[in-house]
């Protein structure tokens, strides 16, 4: 069966010519919904938190990034937001509405005068500027945003009054005629049409962000009219027709239309907006994920991931458990079984077989959009069920994929972000992506780093510290200002200081699952007695005062992760950081480590630090943290080669055989490290050799040779 063309390939042509537990989340009652709308209006348009959420976020303007890598990358994107001409973004909309384009050229990429996805990039740009303004409160950004919204309102009005052809409803707004939507209803396929509702989603999402993040009331008015138009088109169609539309590859891709329509309903209270959200039920996949039946293989990853954030939002407003179960199910099918070392998923935009990691490594893995949407889903799931696993995944994807997706160089004419991030040997990252889907989400990624550093419990009694990024939290309702200092992602101590306010508060510190080298937590210099268990939250519940300090030390150590389908294909980490070997070679590099181990059994015996922070050497190669945004060729995975049972210079000559689970003799031995003495080491070797003999993995003679080599070894501590 031939591979369908990816949007990335089309762009290239045109340019050249563990199941999460089922938890019953609480529904949103009609009275609670009315109260939420009232709260939103009082707050000046901020999208309300839902009563079903046990955990709630802080606004972008309530958390300020401190100095460090995240802020530097953010600043690069802020410069792009400030400098990029608004009229270039508006050109395709004005042209479609018959208005003067003011001589502006469209951005390019897929955002061209005749592109079938034109208009989507403008939606992302609205979100970019909205987020940038919410963070910085710069008047110039607000002026640019208001200019964009006003112009889009003019386009919507012009289309309604004298569009050619005239839209079916006066709420229609797009950068092309309604034709694509009409053709989709007769099942027209890609690339005759691209993803019209995907484009609609980006525009509506940008408008709602302009309203909720920057207080632009007209943006809500425009979006509400668009929502009316969506309902007018889809509300009359039979369910079977809708489901067939959403099953079409790319043409039926609708992004997060169910999410944005539900968010619109949360702000307007208009039932037709909620009804339109439910028109996007993709029932076959929805039901499969709700029932934990994995049918993802061969499906377009980013076409489907955002649907599930929408289902979770629909659950908030309908109380239908299958929506929530489906969101949890999809997450568990992707975050782990289909996740590469950097936190991304997919090969050539497609989901592959469950567990197929080593078998799918090439130059087109991990579409950046997919990670953007997986992080959104993780965040929303956490609001309902504060499980550290969601934030462990979030940290991995944010640090090793999203942070790595922005080139470390200034640019005001391009977002300079990645599309695919290859995981195969000797690949390079490609940056740019003006006008593409990943160029759009990429603009958003780097202006909202702070949105998940801290959450709060619904009743305000607890503060969740999810990410250890230098930042300042301002919590007006509690009168608190808390500063976090540290140099993440570099290794070091993180300190939380109560700068203003105090009172009884449960501070919940995420203890990362990778923190196996011991975690130390002190309060005002006194060690906390509670056990800091990796993969959980440690709670410090006390009456806090101004000046109180919490110190969290999570030492980094080198570790490997094995590919699910081939344990000899491995990746290297230093704490949370993916390390990549710098090499242009197109074949896997082979690494052997056990021969260099001492009694402590640590990879640090075989991998040496360099003078440059977070850089190492092994096998005559440099290992660098992947978040550094350059275009050097790299190897994210290597081939582990440990053919013989050897201890230092003592070679037994016995093959290092593996069990059926892929675990070799040396794997099993060094998993027991550190060894306190040579005698301890010898006992472990003898015991394991006897077991391997009993399992017919060693002969009697081989067992004796292994024990002799262990006796001859002179492994230092």
């Amino acid at each position: 069966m031939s591979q369908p063309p990816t949007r990335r390939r089309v762009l290239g042509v045109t340019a050249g010519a563990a199941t999460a537990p089922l938890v019953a989340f609480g529904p949103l009652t009609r009275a609670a919904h009315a109260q939420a709308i009232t709260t939103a209006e009082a707050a000046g348009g901020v999208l309300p938190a839902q009563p079903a959420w046990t955990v709630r976020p802080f606004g972008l303007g309530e958390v300020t990034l401190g100095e460090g890598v995240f802020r530097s990358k953010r600043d690069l994107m802020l410069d792009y937001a400030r400098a990029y001409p608004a009229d270039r973004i508006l050109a395709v909309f004005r042209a479609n509405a018959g208005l003067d384009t003011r001589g502006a050229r469209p951005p390019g990429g897929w955002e061209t005068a005749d592109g079938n996805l034109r208009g989507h990039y403008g939606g992302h740009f609205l979100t970019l500027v909205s987020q940038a303004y919410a963070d910085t409160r710069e008047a110039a950004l607000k002026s640019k945003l208001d200019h964009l919204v006003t112009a889009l309102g003019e386009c919507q009005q012009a289309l309604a009054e004298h569009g050619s052809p005239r839209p079916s409803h006066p709420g229609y707004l797009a950068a092309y005629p309604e034709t694509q939507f009409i053709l989709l209803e007769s099942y027209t396929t890609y690339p005759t049409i691209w993803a019209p509702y995907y484009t609609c989603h980006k525009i509506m999402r940008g408008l709602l962000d302009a309203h909720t993040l920057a207080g632009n009331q007209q943006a809500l008015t425009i979006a509400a009219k668009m929502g009316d138009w969506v309902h007018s088109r889809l509300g009359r169609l039979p369910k079977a027709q809708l489901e067939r539309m959403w099953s079409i590859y790319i043409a039926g891709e609708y992004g997060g239309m169910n999410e944005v329509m539900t968010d619109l309903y949360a702000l307007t209270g208009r039932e037709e907006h909620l009804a339109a959200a439910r028109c996007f039920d993709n029932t076959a996949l929805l039901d499969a994920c709700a029932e934990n039946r994995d049918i993802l293989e061969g499906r377009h990853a980013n076409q489907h991931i955002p649907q599930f954030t929408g289902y979770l939002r629909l659950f908030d407003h309908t109380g239908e458990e299958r929506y929530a179960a489906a969101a949890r199910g999809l997450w568990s099918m992707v975050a782990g079984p289909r996740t590469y070392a950097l936190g991304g998923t997919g090969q050539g935009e497609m989901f592959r077989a469950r567990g197929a990691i080593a078998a799918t490594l090439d130059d087109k893995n991990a579409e950046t959009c997919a990670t953007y949407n997986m992080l959104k889903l993780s965040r929303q799931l956490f609001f309902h069920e504060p499980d550290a696993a969601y934030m462990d995944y979030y940290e991995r994807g944010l640090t090793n994929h999203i942070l790595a997706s922005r080139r470390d160089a200034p640019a005001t004419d391009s977002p300079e972000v990645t599309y695919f991030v290859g995981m195969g040997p000797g690949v390079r990252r490609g940056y740019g992506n003006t006008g593409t889907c990943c160029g759009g989400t990429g603009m958003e990624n780097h202006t909202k780093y702070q949105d998940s550093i801290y959450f709060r419990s619904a009743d305000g009694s607890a503060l969740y510290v999810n990410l250890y990024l230098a930042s300042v939290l301002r919590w007006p309702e509690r009168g608190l200002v808390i500063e976090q200092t540290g140099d993440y992602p570099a290794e070091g101590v993180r300190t939380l200081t109560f700068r203003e306010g105090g009172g009884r508060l449960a501070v919940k510190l995420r203890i990362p699952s990778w923190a196996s080298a011991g975690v130390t937590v002190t309060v005002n210099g006194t060690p906390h007695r509670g056990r800091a268990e990796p993969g959980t939250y440690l709670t410090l519940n006390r009456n806090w005062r101004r000046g109180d300090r919490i110190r969290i030390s999570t030492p980094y150590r080198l570790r490997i992760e094995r590919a699910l389908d081939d344990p000899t294909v491995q990746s290297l980490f230093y704490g949370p950081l993916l390390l990549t070997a710098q090499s242009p070679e197109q074949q896997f590099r082979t690494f052997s480590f056990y021969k260099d181990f001492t009694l402590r059994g640590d990879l640090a015996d075989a991998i040496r630090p360099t003078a440059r922070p977070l850089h190492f050497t092994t096998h005559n190669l440099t290992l660098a943290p992947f978040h550094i945004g350059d275009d050097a060729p790299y190897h994210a995975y290597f081939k582990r080669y440990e053919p013989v049972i050897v201890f230092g210079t003592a070679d037994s000559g016995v093959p290092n055989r593996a069990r059926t689970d892929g675990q070799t003799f040396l794997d099993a031995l060094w998993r027991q490290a550190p060894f306190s003495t040579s005698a301890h080491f010898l006992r472990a070797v003898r015991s394991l050799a006897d077991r391997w003999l009993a399992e017919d993995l060693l002969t009697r003679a081989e067992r004796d040779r292994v024990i002799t080599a262990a006796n001859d070894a002179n492994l230092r501590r």
Side-chain angles (χ1 to χ4, degrees), residues 318-336:
T318 67
E320 292 186 24
E321 171 59 23
R322 73 168 183 148
Y323 284 133
R328 293 191 300 267
L330 182 281
W331 189 90
S332 69
M333 293 170 193
V334 177

Side-chain angles (χ1 to χ4, degrees), residues 558 590-608 617-620 640-651 666 670 673 681 713-717:
L558 293 159
T590 56
F591 290 172
S592 301
F593 297 131
Y594 288 138
K595 60 184 174 55
D596 296 316
F597 273 22
T598 66
L599 291 178
R600 66 178 180 167
D602 196 315
L603 284 167
D605 295 326
I607 301 171
R608 305 295 185 187
T617 59
T618 190
H619 297 77
N620 298 315
R640 188 71 174 270
Y641 184 64
E642 308 281 2
V644 178
I645 298 174
V646 58
F647 312 113
T649 58
D651 187 343
L666 289 175
W670 289 110
F681 168 73
N714 182 22
L715 302 185
R716 64 192 184 282
R717 174 69 177 136

Side-chain angles (χ1 to χ4, degrees), residues 425-427 580-587 589 621-622 632-635:
V427 301
T580 57
Q582 308 298 287
S583 168
E585 188 175 331
Q586 299 294 301
Q587 301 297 319
R589 300 302 299 258
L621 293 174
T622 296
Y634 59 87
H635 289 235

